[in-house]
Amino acid sequence: MAGPISQSSVTLSEPLKNSHFAFAAMTTLFFIWGFITALNDILIPHLKAAFDLNYTQAMLVQFCFFGAYFIISPFAGKLIEKIGYIRGIITGLVTIAIGCGLFYPAAEVEVYAVFLLGLFILASGVTILQVSANPYVAVLGPEKTATSRLSLAQAINSVGHTLGPMFGAALIFAAVGVASEDADIDAKAVQLPYLLLAGVMIATAIGFKFLKLPTIKADETEQDVKSTDSIWSHKALIFGTVAIFFYVGAEVSIGSFLVNYFSQPEIAGLNERQASQMVSYYWGAAMIGRFVGAALTRIISPIYVLAFNSAIAIILLFTTMNTQGDLAMWSVISIGFFNSIMFPTIFTLAIRGLGPLTGRGSGLLCQAIVGGAILPLMQGYVADVTSVQFSFIVPVAAYVYIAWYALFGSKVKSANAAAPAPAAN
């Protein structure tokens, strides 16, 4: 998923040249954070087995990763204001490399907490990268085509999500060479993959250092925000922030459990490498759904598409919770397709009508990505006290709220909507 943007707050500081080349360079960043984020779905079951963790403890991987969005986002914005977007990108890439590099000593000393520290640092770099790259893509061309450019960049992000689990399955579980029930799983299997990622991040950072890319700066002409107006008075934004929290939480939570779920004899009985490869279908379905959804929302109101997709996700979750075998496996994989349009649709509905408050609203929505830290932890607890299959009741509750937001919450007027407009000077 790509973080929100506020196009009105940034502009090109020089005439745009080689925009296609600059856009191509930016899409590599979208691919990188999609790839790394999806790799967590492979890392979780591996560390669970290596350290003999319960599900709640294993979900601390997502807690540390997505918790960084909530903590680091405000600081990342201030950092970009001081050092600029290109240097911000380089800083983000180097930070990711440091986080990946920590996996080597973490595996040597076999301390789970060091892995979690590495993940937090890695995710901090991803956060800086998103805060830098999203507005950059938005201004690489005419304003009327900004949404189209960002949609294409998000599609590349989905390609990274799809290939990440394949990479993990090929290098992590191939190195282990055992099924999930084998207790002798070595944490050192993650050393090579994450060292490779660290090397790629450093090489990419060096590449961006020498690329001749346009620079952008904050828009100093943006209208001042009236002191009487506040983002907290816009109920559709507040409800939308909760919807983003639940959407990211549900999407990440489902993906986090797939390997362990598909390994269960009554579901698919796959070993961890086979199950990891199946996770790519979940994210691949989201990639396909983004292209389909982009066309569909041109002819059908996004509100109804969002409500419909939420309802289908709920039906598919209840199906997987009450069946076995291929039906249970493919029903939960199919949810990826219906997740596809949720983030951009919720985001668009939430910031509608904010005007000069759009930047602040975007920041609030970005922090709501912390749902990816909380809901997996909740589902992990439910899985520990009941079963993995029943634990999917947690994302069911999330999709119920999203359906409500689509049909009702997004239409709520702001608290000061009825107030008379101030007289023009």
Side-chain angles (χ1 to χ4, degrees), residues 240-314:
T241 301
V242 178
I244 288 289
F245 175 93
F246 280 126
Y247 160 67
V248 176
E251 179 189 53
V252 171
S253 195
I254 292 170
S256 300
F257 277 85
L258 292 184
V259 172
N260 289 117
Y261 189 49
F262 296 159
S263 299
Q264 297 190 348
E266 67 274 17
I267 303 302
L270 304 178
N271 62 40
E272 288 185 328
R273 184 179 182 183
Q274 294 169 329
S276 298
Q277 294 169 337
M278 296 303 297
V279 175
S280 291
Y281 288 101
Y282 173 71
W283 295 110
M287 177 179 62
I288 296 170
R290 274 189 173 148
F291 291 106
V292 175
L296 198 61
T297 51
R298 288 178 178 270
I299 57 177
I300 302 176
S301 172
I303 289 176
Y304 298 117
V305 177
L306 179 61
F308 176 81
N309 282 20
S310 301
I312 296 299
I314 293 169

Side-chain angles (χ1 to χ4, degrees), residues 398-411:
Y399 289 119
V400 168
Y401 178 87
I402 294 169
W404 174 85
Y405 177 73
L407 296 175
F408 303 103
S410 64
K411 301 177 182 179

Side-chain angles (χ1 to χ4, degrees), residues 26-273:
M26 289 298 116
T27 57
T28 63
L29 304 178
F30 282 75
F31 177 89
I32 283 171
W33 74 64
F35 188 97
I36 290 176
T37 302
L39 199 55
N40 287 349
D41 296 341
I42 310 304
L43 188 65
I44 288 170
H46 179 76
L47 294 181
K48 181 179 183 298
F51 289 100
D52 193 24
L53 307 172
N54 60 31
Y55 286 108
T56 306
Q57 292 168 331
M59 290 305 142
L60 288 174
V61 167
Q62 301 291 32
F63 181 80
C64 290
F65 190 91
F66 285 94
Y69 280 86
F70 184 79
I71 297 172
I72 301 300
S73 287
F75 299 101
K78 294 179 180 179
L79 177 68
I80 301 307
E81 289 178 4
K82 290 185 177 181
I83 67 176
Y85 287 85
I86 300 300
R87 289 181 180 177
I89 289 169
I90 295 172
T91 301
L93 289 166
V94 172
T95 305
I96 293 173
I98 293 171
C100 289
L102 272 178
F103 277 52
Y104 194 93
E108 286 293 324
V109 299
E110 298 184 343
V111 175
Y112 184 50
V114 182
F115 276 107
L116 297 179
L117 174 62
L119 278 163
F120 182 85
I121 294 173
L122 186 159
S124 298
V126 172
T127 303
I128 296 171
L129 214 58
Q130 289 207 33
V131 172
S132 303
N134 279 311
Y136 197 100
V137 167
V139 299
L140 279 177
E143 183 176 356
K144 64 181 181 180
T145 59
T147 300
S148 176
R149 286 192 301 277
L150 192 60
S151 295
L152 180 56
Q154 288 183 3
I156 302 301
N157 178 267
S158 293
V159 174
H161 264 96
T162 304
L163 296 180
M166 295 181 182
F167 173 83
L171 289 185
I172 296 178
F173 287 130
V176 174
V178 292
S180 61
E181 60 269 16
D182 192 328
D184 188 22
I185 294 181
D186 193 351
K188 293 181 180 179
V190 305
Q191 289 179 319
L192 176 60
Y194 278 88
L195 280 180
L196 289 174
L197 286 174
V200 171
M201 296 305 108
I202 295 297
T204 306
I206 293 173
F208 271 88
K209 175 68 175 178
F210 293 100
L211 287 179
K212 300 296 183 181
L213 297 176
T215 57
I216 60 177
K217 63 179 181 179
D219 188 352
E220 298 175 355
T221 64
E222 185 171 322
Q223 179 183 353
D224 292 335
V225 179
K226 299 298 182 182
S227 59
T228 56
D229 201 4
S230 166
I231 58 173
W232 303 108
S233 67
H234 294 265
K235 294 183 179 179
L237 169 66
I238 304 306
F239 291 146
T241 301
V242 178
I244 288 289
F245 175 93
F246 280 126
Y247 160 67
V248 176
E251 179 189 53
V252 171
S253 195
I254 292 170
S256 300
F257 277 85
L258 292 184
V259 172
N260 289 117
Y261 189 49
F262 296 159
S263 299
Q264 297 190 348
E266 67 274 17
I267 303 302
L270 304 178
N271 62 40
E272 288 185 328
R273 184 179 182 183

